[in-house]
Amino acid sequence: MAIRLHNTLTRREEELVTRDPGRVAMYVCGPTVYNDIHIGNARTFLSFDVIRRYLTWRGYDVDFVQNVTDVDDKIINRAAEEGISSAEVARKYTEAFLEVMSALGVTEPTHRPKATEEIPGMIELVERLISAGHAYESEGDVYFSVRSFPDYGKLSGRDIEELMVGARVEPGERKRDPLDFALWKAAKPGEPHWPSPWGEGRPGWHLECSVMSEKYLGTSFDIHGGGADLVFPHHENEIAQSEAASGEPFVRYWLHGGMLQVNAEKMSKSLGNFVVLREVLAHYPSDVFRLLALQTHYRSPLDFSNERLDEAQAALERLETVVRNLRWARDVLPQPAGAGEEKHAALLASVERAREKFAEEMDDDFNTAGGLAAVFDLAKVANVFLSENPRLSAEDIDALGLTADTIVALTGVLGLRVAEVPEAAYPHEVVTLARELAGYEGDDESAAVAALLAARDAARAAKDWTVADAVRGSLEELGLRVEDTARGSRVVVGG
Ligand code: AMP
Ligand code: ZN
């Protein structure tokens, strides 16, 4: 089955047909590095990380480019506030950005170009646009002439007359037409600047994405992504710059993520209602935020609240517990008669159905909520199987192992690391305890716990309750709980 994706440009769901067979060339606008990113920004970056992961899982070779906007008015203002240079502000927040992306498990792009390192390419594109009659110089600024590009407005669905309403030339701008936008800005005192044919200056914001995407991905590349707030003017202007210069379609599929919001209001730096990602990651495992984000389709608004974060944490823990229990079933002694052929076949069918459903949902414009539901349904089935069938045959045990592997693999496609959650460590005192109560001679905590359990089982079989209770009591003093189940006993860390 083919992957279908919603294209902002055509406002329809379309089948993915890539420019080059088997490859996806993909560009996602990166951050402006003037402070710590908030969880709204993070939601967008996470959505495209998952889209990239899924395309990779479906067998595509994905070239993923994301820029860093490290020259911008906001950076300049921040530098003045902090009393450091713009370059230092950009360096500090680029580092902070990379750190939180890595903590969130976002895959590193194939290329991560910085605006300040691509100035020559930007100057070249401006020159091409001027000589083609799409841009003009005005006292050291260069502007793109919007009326020279008849397709302007096709992405956002606006027409030029509508845009003219309320448009005006701001003080200090030297445009011929209020619709025009800056490609290059003459340097003002104290701002970062580079030499150019129009004098010292710096690039306008939209320019870099046109330049970097073409440099690393070529023209008519496959997927361009960003938050929905970038459709106008940023992406509209990228299209104008790139298509006016090359005469070719800029992008095949435009994908836009919905806004993360609090109390039905977009989270943004300017509204001041933002939570920085670093803060969330200080209090919750990164997968909790990932799961919360993936419970909503990437194009829909995502309502954020602390309650939803706690609910996501509980859901993630349920999944981890199921996987742990399934893995644990691997270690039980197989019985000749297990759950029986019918139940066994039903479990295997559920595994197969979960895989199919997951791919079906994800093929449908990357419906992560549907994909997750398929995995959680399988987890529920596995849980029922475990509780209803105290005796497991070797085939049952295999099927349960396959169930665990499937849950881990499918959540792994979404970037969740369910399998990596370690069983909380046993304290080293269990070794001493095992020496005293079970004659254990090694130095390994897990082996010591196993020896203690064996000693307790033997004591219980011999109806020696004093020894059995002593083992349980001493473990409890170390914060370890003994759990007796239909398939034997085990030790659990904590409550
Ligand atoms: P910026 O650094 O402001 O250019 O934003 C970086 C990315 O975050 C862009 O793709 C924006 O569209 C996206 N973004 C900004 N605010 C939000 C939000 N509240 N929810 C989702 N994405 C957002
Ligand atoms: Zn961009």
Side-chain angles (χ1 to χ4, degrees):
M1 242 196 41
I3 294 174
R4 302 183 61 77
L5 66 188
H6 186 272
N7 189 349
T8 310
L9 187 62
T10 58
R11 292 158 186 80
R12 282 190 295 118
E13 241 187 52
E14 295 173 12
E15 205 171 281
L16 176 67
V17 180
T18 59
R19 179 186 60 187
D20 308 314
R23 300 182 73 90
V24 174
M26 180 169 177
Y27 185 95
V28 176
C29 296
T32 305
V33 281
Y34 73 104
N35 63 10
D36 284 322
I37 65 157
H38 60 65
I39 55 176
N41 307 130
R43 190 239 176 153
T44 293
F45 299 137
L46 195 68
S47 297
F48 288 101
D49 177 54
V50 170
I51 290 173
R52 174 200 190 166
R53 285 171 180 271
Y54 185 67
L55 292 169
T56 306
W57 187 66
R58 290 287 260 101
Y60 287 99
D61 230 329
V62 183
D63 260 339
F64 188 102
V65 179
Q66 180 166 69
N67 63 313
V68 172
T69 302
D70 60 349
V71 53
D72 181 83
D73 287 342
K74 292 183 220 132
I75 299 174
I76 294 167
N77 295 340
R78 184 77 188 212
E81 276 167 36
E82 292 197 13
I84 54 178
S85 71
S86 294
E88 274 170 285
V89 169
R91 200 175 314 123
K92 177 169 151 188
Y93 291 109
T94 302
E95 223 166 85
F97 172 69
L98 296 179
E99 215 169 273
V100 288
M101 283 297 100
S102 143
L104 196 55
V106 169
T107 321
E108 219 2 63
T110 325
H111 300 282
R112 196 193 286 287
K114 295 191 170 100
T116 56
E117 291 171 6
E118 306 278 345
I119 304 283
M122 294 197 223
I123 291 175
E124 200 188 286
L125 180 61
V126 175
E127 285 182 311
R128 265 157 74 196
L129 288 169
I130 293 177
S131 53
H134 289 292
Y136 57 91
E137 193 253 6
S138 178
E139 296 173 53
D141 291 346
V142 181
Y143 294 95
F144 184 92
S145 166
V146 166
R147 287 182 195 274
S148 77
F149 182 70
D151 271 354
Y152 195 82
K154 67 177 172 183
L155 181 70
S156 56
R158 299 172 197 220
D159 68 41
I160 291 213
E161 296 322 314
E162 181 189 336
L163 289 168
M164 275 305 281
V165 179
R168 63 190 185 109
V169 179
E170 297 294 329
E173 291 185 322
R174 294 171 277 241
K175 306 173 180 180
R176 289 183 194 154
D177 186 321
L179 293 180
D180 296 349
F181 60 90
L183 297 170
W184 188 264
K185 299 177 186 180
K188 296 199 197 98
E191 290 184 0
H193 54 86
W194 290 263
S196 83
W198 320 285
E200 292 288 324
R202 61 185 170 95
W205 170 40
H206 315 297
L207 189 59
E208 64 187 89
C209 294
S210 284
V211 169
M212 296 171 179
S213 60
E214 184 176 344
K215 173 171 171 182
Y216 294 98
L217 301 171
T219 51
S220 302
F221 62 90
D222 299 302
I223 295 179
H224 193 316
D229 57 338
L230 297 188
V231 172
F232 187 86
H234 184 53
H235 289 161
E236 201 69 76
N237 292 354
E238 285 185 30
I239 293 178
Q241 295 165 156
S242 294
E243 298 194 352
S246 74
E248 288 170 50
F250 177 39
V251 166
R252 297 164 76 89
Y253 306 95
W254 283 93
L255 268 55
H256 288 101
M259 293 294 107
L260 182 145
Q261 47 189 36
V262 186
N263 301 326
E265 201 171 36
K266 174 190 170 188
M267 176 169 289
S268 77
K269 288 164 190 167
S270 52
L271 287 176
N273 63 347
F274 66 92
V275 178
V276 295
L277 176 61
R278 181 204 295 282
E279 189 60 29
V280 170
L281 295 183
H283 295 101
Y284 294 86
S286 66
D287 273 358
V288 171
F289 181 72
R290 186 175 276 266
L291 181 64
L292 168 63
L294 298 183
Q295 282 166 341
T296 300
H297 190 278
Y298 78 91
R299 294 203 307 120
S300 305
L302 171 68
D303 288 312
F304 176 81
S305 66
N306 286 328
E307 292 71 45
R308 289 204 63 194
L309 209 46
D310 289 334
E311 282 162 22
Q313 178 155 36
L316 190 65
E317 281 168 6
R318 276 201 306 278
L319 207 56
E320 284 160 359
T321 305
V322 173
V323 170
R324 246 197 313 268
N325 285 343
L326 291 171
R327 296 278 195 231
W328 183 68
R330 227 175 15 195
D331 301 331
V332 308
L333 210 57
Q335 308 286 321
E341 191 47 43
E342 209 171 299
K343 287 187 174 177
H344 174 84
L347 178 62
L348 287 177
S350 296
V351 171
E352 199 46 45
R353 203 161 43 244
R355 278 208 194 114
E356 279 169 16
K357 184 94 176 35
F358 177 83
E360 238 167 64
E361 296 286 357
M362 289 296 288
D363 276 358
D364 180 13
D365 198 24
F366 312 105
N367 183 5
T368 52
L372 280 169
V375 176
F376 275 91
D377 284 349
L378 177 60
K380 216 180 290 165
V381 169
N383 243 350
V384 170
F385 189 97
L386 278 176
S387 62
E388 282 182 354
N389 301 293
R391 293 178 187 284
L392 301 173
S393 69
E395 287 88 24
D396 292 336
I397 292 169
D398 280 351
L400 291 169
L402 183 70
T403 310
D405 292 347
T406 303
I407 293 173
V408 169
L410 297 182
T411 49
V413 174
L414 304 176
L416 293 164
R417 291 160 288 194
V418 173
E420 287 169 34
V421 178
E423 186 71 81
Y426 299 124
H428 191 67
E429 285 93 328
V430 293
V431 171
T432 323
L433 199 61
R435 281 196 192 126
E436 286 166 13
L437 298 180
Y440 175 68
E441 288 178 350
D443 194 36
D444 176 77
E445 289 89 6
S446 299
V449 166
L452 283 164
L453 283 179
R456 177 168 171 271
D457 284 347
R460 289 194 332 155
K463 303 208 171 356
D464 185 348
W465 307 115
T466 322
V467 171
D469 290 348
V471 172
R472 177 194 279 269
S474 320
L475 283 168
E476 272 169 8
E477 276 166 30
L478 296 177
L480 303 171
R481 191 164 45 87
V482 177
E483 240 180 42
D484 294 314
T485 77
R487 284 178 298 277
S489 43
R490 60 175 164 169
V491 167
V492 180
V493 179

